Every structure is written in C-alpha cells, then in structure tokens.
Amino acid sequence: MKALKIISLIFGILIILSFITANIFYQKVRKLVDANYLITMLDEANLKRFGRMQNLDYSFEIFSQKDVYYPYEKIRIFGKIVKKTDMSIPENAVIEIRLLQNNRPLRTISGDTKVKLIYNPQQQVWIGNWFPENTGEYGDVVIRAEGFIDSPEASIKADGKLFISETPLAYHIEKGLAFFGIESRERISKRSLLSPEAREVNWHTIPQWVKFVSADGVFMLAGITKTFDETTTLDNPWDRDKINEAVSLAERIRQSGGFAGVWLKTLELEGNYLERVGYKPAYHIKDNAIIKDNSVASIKDEERKRHIIRLFSTFMDNNNIAYVGLSHIFNPPSYDIELFDSFIREFKITVPENWENMSHNSRLSYFNERMKTRDFADNFAKWKNFVIADYLREIIDKSGHKKPVFYYASHNELSRNPEMISILFSSGVDFIVLNLSMPYNQIASEMARLRQINDINRYHNRLILSYEIDYNNVDMPDFETSAIENYVNANLKVVKLGSEKLNAQGLLINDLYKAMFGKRGPYSPYDWMLGAGKSIYEFKRFSSPSPLQISYFSSPKVTNQTAFTVKFKVANTSTKPLYNISIRLLPGINETAQEEFRASIQSLEAGSETYIEIPVKIDRQKSQFVRKKHFLGMRVAWSEERRFDDRFGYVDFIPIMLIETQDNAEKVET
Amino acid sequence: MEKKGFLSIFLIYTVLMFLVSALAVILFFRLFPEQVILVYLFVGAIGLIFGFLSYLPFKDLSDKKRSSK
C-alpha cells in the first residue's frame, strides 16, 4: 500500500511537471503535435487549402527576371526544382504559376489565370512568359507557383514576388506650346513659300513665320529612307539631304529662340525596293494569303533597328534639336506576320509534333490557318503590342533619352490600335503629336469616340494635337462660315474636346506646306496662314490670357465698297503698362500701302482702353475664286518695356463677306 | 486533529487541482484553439486521473479522520 502511495505521488508530480514543461516549451510541443497528429485529423482537401502538405524532399524556387516591371513588358518567370538528397533535377516536372495582386488573380492577354513553365535543359530551369492583360494594374504582385513532380508525390509550392510600376515620365512639356509641322517627304529647300509679307521666299523664312505668329517652334520630318534611290544602301540608309535640311532648320529655329522637334519614319519606307537596299520586308495577310510588303521594313529586322538607333542618337546629341521623335511603328493588325515564330515560341502555342522539321512555308501556312480563328488573331495582335513596346524601349534606352521623346501619330494609326497611347507612354515616350483628320461636323462625335476607346482623356496633358489642313473637311456648303473660320474652330475643338477636364498640352499646325500647297480650296496660302496664326493665338489664350484685348467694330458684310474703316478697341487688361502697341493690317485683300495701315499707340496704362481707326482699301478683283469670305489679316504687337519693339504679338483676322449688288455697282464709298 | 486534517487535505487538493487544471487548459487551448468542448472534456479527464492519483498519498488524513469517529 505504501508503494502504491509513492507511485501515485510520483505520477501526480509527473503530471504537474509535464504540464509546466509543455507550457514553457510550447513551440516544440506544437511542432510535435502538427507533425504527428494534425494531418491525420484533416482531410486532403483541407490540407491542400492550408498548403501544409509540403513535399520536403525537393527545394523549389520561383523568381522573375527583374524585380520591377513596366506595363507592356513581358514578365519572364523562372522556376527551379532540385531534389535535396542527390541534387538531381526532376526534368519531367511541370510548373504552373499564377500571379496574384491583393489576393486577386491576374489574367494574361489570352484570359488565362495560369501559365505553365517549360523546362529548359541548357539553363536547367523552367521558363515561362506572362503577358499581363490589364496593363494598368500597378503594385506588388505575388507569383504563386505549384510544381508537379512526375511521380505519385504531393505537389510542391513556392512563392515569389515582383512589382509592376507605372513608367516614370522623363520629361514634361510645358502647357500651351504651339508649333508648325512640316511632314513633307520632299526636300523643303526645293519648295518656295510665302513670307509674312506675302512675298515668295525660300525655307529660310520659316523662323520668321514662327516669330510672326508667336509659335514656339517647328516639328519636322527628318529621317526617311528612299528605297527607290540608288544611292540608298545599308551603309547609307537615310536621305542625307533631308537630315541636313532638318538640322539646319533646327539651328535657325533655336537661334531665333524657338524649339525644333525632328522625327524619323521607322518602319515605313519610301518606294518599294527595300529588299534591294538590304532590309527584310514585313508580311501581311491579304485575302487569306500571306504577302510581303516591299515598302514596310520588318520589326524583326535588326539592321533597320540599328539604323534607327544610330540616327535617333545623332538627333539626341544635337544641341539645336529640342525634341526627338519616331513615327510609323504601328502597322495594321494584319501585318507583322513574320513574327509568327516568336509568337508561337513565347506564347507556348501548341503546334504539330513535327513543327521543328516543317519547312518555313508550311509553318507559315499553318499559322495563316490558325489566324482565321478570332481568338488566335486577337492574341497575336495583343502580343504584338508587347513586341512594339520592347522595340520602342530599346530605341529610346540605347539612344540615351537625353531630351523629350515624342511619337508622331496619325489618326488612322490610333483608330487601328486603341492601346497605342498606353503602349507609347509605357515604353518611355514623353509626349505624342497626334494628327487628326476628320470632317468639321464630326469633330465632337469623333473626339468623344477617341475619348472612350483610347486613353486620350487620361493623357491629355501629354498630347500635342493637330487638325490637318484640308479644305474638304472644313468647308460646310450650307453654312455661311468660311472654311478658314471653321479651320480655326476645328483646331480649338480638338484641343478642348479630347478631355472633359483639361485642354491638350500643345497645338501643331499640320502643316506649313499643306497651307502653302495642300488642299486649299479657293483660299490662298496666306488665308490659311492667317487661320493658323489665329488658331495659335486663340489656343495660347487658353493657358495664358493676352494682356492686350483687341475688339473690332466692322460690318461683317461689305456691299460694293472698296474702302471702309475698321474701328478697334484696344484694352490693357493686365496690371502693367504696355508700350509700342501696333495693329498692322496684313497683305491679302487689302491693298493699302504698308505705312498707311499701321496704327500704333506709344503706351497704354494698366486697365485703360482706347479706340483707333484704320482705313482699309480692298481689291475686289484680287481673288479669281468664289469664296464665302475674305480675310483682313492683322498683326497685333506690343512690348512690356519701353525700349523693345514687337516683343509680343499675334496674328488675327477679320472675316469680311464681299457683296456686290447690280444697281449699286458704280457707287464707291470712301 | 479532525479540523486540521480536513483543512490540509482541502488546501492541498485545491492548490494542486488549480495548478494542474490551469496548466492543462492553457496548453490545450493553445494547441487546439478551435476545439473548445474537446479541450474541457480532456482537461476534465486529466482532472479525474489526477484526483485519483492524489487520493492515495493523502488517504491517511481522511482515514484518520474516519477512525477517530
């Protein structure tokens, strides 16, 4: 009995001691319980959910090529599985990855939430590409990988992480910039143009025009490749004369205090002989057949890319050039078929087993067949955006990005690829010059459409917009307003209607030579230049109001007169006095001698206003075309300091409708 | 003697039971936080075993009490 007592006492003390130790060394007890007993209590589905069923025989790592990715960048993911015991690699294993952002799965451009990594025997890792569908998702992303080893063993899991960041903006352009565009492919030195005094002059007068209308500079096409020119070779791909001209104009513009932007045409070449030069052509699908385009270089052509980078870097290094740009990278959706091999490889498209042994042509026809399915073609188009973004990024990065980079885009290009603006800004482009061309009465609806489909709205502060000079677009046959007035309104509408919140950053007159030689209708080059000048003046007033307000009093209809008087009210709405204010009538319909039509005011105190009258003599026979209206151009100039003359100024016009009636034809009023 | 015997057995039992049950409850709740009923049943069972084990060593105290009657 005594022994029993002792045993009981010992057991009692043991229980107490065991509870004390178990509480002190709780973590170890927890592990022991987890390892031996918990698994038997939970079913397999729950275990999977908790991710507890780890296969401890293998080490599994998952990582991306870079830590930070930008939109439209292919995310390259690597996985590595090694057996711990003998360091062997289970080559038959399959790795599946998912990307999660805030525990929400991300999708690829094909709509999948999972991507398989494929084993690469050379590098001894599993590699896969993720093309994110929604490129506007920024922030931390978790790579959740699951490896299935080719044996009846539990799958293994690993997590990795990466960060998706918005592409930083390298250069911001000022608000209210206005430029003249020159997109002529011909050499401008061979073409004449009108000077501000309406005399026929050469291209050296362009800086004068820039100053005359108070524009900020010129954007000019500088890099073109003429494949029809026999002197164009792989060693000399660019039209040297055109480049020299552009650089020389840039120098003149800079000397006169302006900014010059030059751009080069990347993939679209002049003429149909690119193979003679040594470039590789782009292929496209037309009527179910694959056809090569001898005027478009392939995006795959490394030689072309090298040439673009070289010229782009030259422009970057030139101090006279303020902005450097590119154009013609976005081909129509049916183009760039030659990329099919890369697409199949990167997108892991299932192909026939003997794919590697198939001839190029049979592979191409297999691809052509697959392109008939809508999903496949869509995926190809979306994948191409990533290729273009890479292409642009490489050009910009390799040339240094020492000054603002722009892309010169056409309306067509934008309509064809709604993602164009996002792609450009994601690849390092700082601003876009967008040329719009649409009938005047469709501007509001078209701008609303662009706002909805494209990112115009979001990036309006990085856009310079232009409305192409085309008489047919701005002439409204049933309206009294003239084409020139509509052109001015069109320019203002496009810069305003692209966004509900803000105006476009800049305005470009597209282009100087279209005003001189383009589809001008019955209006003279000078009339179009007045329209351009007034557009620039009105546009600049959006961001910085003019200190001088001029309003005129003149009958909009002039019946049978050849001379009349225009009365101007000149008001200084600023808080500083203004000096040397002048209103000068410009040549056109008015034929008064230069000295007579210049009215000037020595100084005008802040807040005061005055009236001046200018007599106008017009030549009714000057225009041989029937026009709705004639334009009395004027240049208003002033300076903020007494000693300067014509420091600031703008061009405006008064539209006048000339009416002749039979019974009063002889009456002349003076 | 009677009172002294009863008091000591009462005190020893209370202190030991409190100690054991407190330790058991803390430990099992940390190990299986979701199994509330099971934890209490388990701790109860341990209490019974412990009570039984504690009976023999201190049996004399109550026996003495009974024999003196």
Side-chain angles (χ1 to χ4, degrees), chain A residues 556-562 564 589 618-623 627-631 655-661:
Chain A
K557 290 176 186 172
V558 179
T559 315
N560 296 327
Q561 293 153 286
T562 53
F564 55 96
I589 51 160
I618 52 168
D619 178 3
R620 284 179 167 268
Q621 308 307 319
K622 196 148 190 176
S623 168
R627 301 157 164 200
K628 281 180 188 163
K629 282 181 187 171
H630 291 75
F631 304 96
I656 294 169
M657 200 181 270
L658 294 181
I659 298 166
E660 271 178 69
T661 49

Side-chain angles (χ1 to χ4, degrees), chain B residues 7-58:
Chain B
L7 198 67
S8 31
I9 202 165
F10 178 78
L11 277 176
I12 290 166
Y13 258 68
T14 316
V15 170
L16 286 180
M17 285 305 289
F18 177 77
L19 189 72
V20 170
S21 53
L23 288 172
V25 166
I26 291 169
L27 180 69
F28 290 122
F29 265 124
R30 281 168 85 186
L31 285 177
F32 314 104
E34 288 168 357
Q35 310 291 337
V36 180
I37 297 168
L38 274 179
V39 167
Y40 279 120
L41 285 174
F42 200 51
V43 171
I46 288 172
L48 281 176
I49 297 165
F50 187 76
F52 179 72
L53 287 175
S54 307
Y55 171 71
L56 279 177
F58 307 107

Side-chain angles (χ1 to χ4, degrees), chain A residues 142 155 164 186 189 198 235 271 293 406 439 451 461 496 517 575 585 599 601 653 656:
Chain A
V142 175
S155 65
I164 298 180
E186 289 162 49
S189 55
D235 295 326
D293 188 333
F406 67 93
R451 218 162 52 205
N461 62 344
K496 266 185 172 180
F517 305 101
T575 51
L585 295 190
I601 303 160
F653 63 77
I656 294 169

Side-chain angles (χ1 to χ4, degrees), chain A residues 5 8 12 20 23 26 30, chain B residues 23 26 30-31 53 56 60:
Chain A
K5 265 188 197 173
S8 300
I20 293 171
N23 272 296
Y26 162 74
R30 162 103 255 168
Chain B
L23 288 172
I26 291 169
R30 281 168 85 186
L31 285 177
L53 287 175
L56 279 177
D60 293 353

Side-chain angles (χ1 to χ4, degrees), chain A residues 324-600:
Chain A
V324 191
L326 301 157
S327 74
H328 294 89
I329 285 187
F330 294 87
N331 290 326
S334 61
Y335 269 69
D336 308 309
I337 299 301
E338 71 278 7
L339 292 170
F340 80 100
D341 249 346
S342 321
F343 173 62
I344 281 176
R345 204 175 45 248
E346 287 195 349
F347 217 68
K348 312 278 184 247
I349 301 286
T350 41
V351 283
E353 272 182 21
N354 59 340
W355 180 255
E356 292 301 321
N357 306 321
M358 276 163 77
S359 70
H360 182 78
N361 281 346
S362 44
R363 279 197 245 180
L364 207 56
S365 51
Y366 172 79
F367 183 76
N368 190 9
E369 208 49 48
R370 294 283 302 262
M371 279 292 275
K372 286 173 188 162
T373 32
R374 202 189 151 86
D375 279 356
F376 190 87
D378 273 356
N379 287 346
F380 181 64
K382 284 178 189 164
W383 172 82
K384 247 170 39 181
N385 291 339
F386 286 78
V387 177
I388 294 169
D390 275 350
Y391 194 79
L392 275 165
R393 234 175 252 129
E394 192 178 339
I395 294 171
I396 296 170
D397 289 349
K398 284 198 174 158
S399 49
H401 204 168
K402 286 170 244 166
K403 44 185 76 153
V405 170
F406 67 93
Y407 185 81
Y408 196 84
S410 69
H411 195 164
N412 263 347
E413 243 176 325
L414 184 67
S415 304
R416 276 195 311 245
N417 193 337
E419 290 179 51
M420 187 180 95
I421 292 184
S422 313
I423 298 169
L424 288 171
F425 288 142
S426 302
S427 12
V429 169
D430 298 303
F431 66 98
I432 296 174
V433 179
L434 179 61
N435 288 304
L436 301 168
S437 175
M438 57 192 117
Y440 178 70
N441 52 5
Q442 285 169 24
I443 292 177
S445 58
E446 178 64 12
M447 290 311 279
R449 193 184 71 86
L450 290 180
R451 218 162 52 205
Q452 264 185 350
I453 303 171
N454 308 96
D455 286 333
I456 281 204
N457 211 9
R458 189 167 146 209
Y459 295 113
H460 218 225
N461 62 344
R462 289 169 77 179
L463 290 182
I464 290 184
L465 295 181
S466 83
Y467 183 80
E468 202 174 296
I469 291 179
D470 184 346
Y471 171 74
N472 300 324
N473 274 345
V474 282
D475 181 52
M476 299 284 109
D478 304 331
F479 288 67
E480 250 185 18
T481 50
S482 65
I484 305 285
E485 287 166 283
N486 287 344
Y487 171 66
V488 175
N489 285 333
N491 272 320
L492 303 179
K493 274 186 177 182
V494 294
V495 295
K496 266 185 172 180
L497 294 176
S499 157
E500 285 147 351
K501 291 177 189 150
L502 66 165
N503 296 321
Q505 202 74 351
L507 175 73
L508 182 98
I509 299 300
N510 182 12
D511 76 358
L512 189 63
Y513 282 84
K514 276 185 190 134
M516 300 289 165
F517 305 101
K519 297 168 189 161
R520 293 187 280 112
Y523 298 99
S524 72
Y526 207 86
D527 292 337
W528 284 102
M529 288 308 279
L530 287 178
K534 191 176 167 80
S535 306
I536 291 174
Y537 160 59
E538 297 282 357
F539 170 69
K540 285 198 168 255
R541 276 212 321 193
F542 290 157
S543 45
S544 57
S546 163
L548 198 66
Q549 301 292 329
I550 306 234
S551 23
Y552 55 82
F553 306 95
S554 157
S555 164
K557 290 176 186 172
V558 179
T559 315
N560 296 327
Q561 293 153 286
T562 53
F564 55 96
T565 308
V566 184
K567 194 175 179 187
F568 291 93
K569 181 182 132 186
V570 184
N572 178 359
T573 52
S574 73
T575 51
K576 282 188 237 163
L578 299 175
Y579 303 97
N580 304 324
I581 300 163
S582 72
I583 299 173
R584 186 152 61 98
L585 295 190
L586 300 176
I589 51 160
N590 108 79
E591 54 164 15
T592 330
Q594 291 272 337
E595 303 74 41
E596 290 172 38
F597 55 75
R598 187 184 178 113
S600 51

Side-chain angles (χ1 to χ4, degrees), chain A residues 206-267:
Chain A
I206 294 172
Q208 272 183 37
W209 265 119
V210 172
K211 271 194 108 171
F212 195 70
V213 299
S214 290
D216 296 285
V218 166
F219 275 74
M220 182 177 170
L221 170 62
I224 53 168
T225 300
K226 290 176 172 170
T227 60
F228 55 81
D229 188 343
E230 299 223 328
T231 57
T232 309
T233 58
L234 282 185
D235 295 326
N236 178 32
W238 303 102
D239 182 352
R240 282 275 139 210
D241 298 325
K242 186 94 185 128
I243 294 171
N244 292 339
E245 233 173 51
V247 170
S248 166
L249 178 67
E251 194 180 345
R252 282 165 196 271
I253 293 285
R254 194 183 68 97
Q255 279 166 358
S256 66
F259 304 101
V262 295
W263 81 90
L264 52 101
K265 274 174 101 175
T266 53
L267 298 179

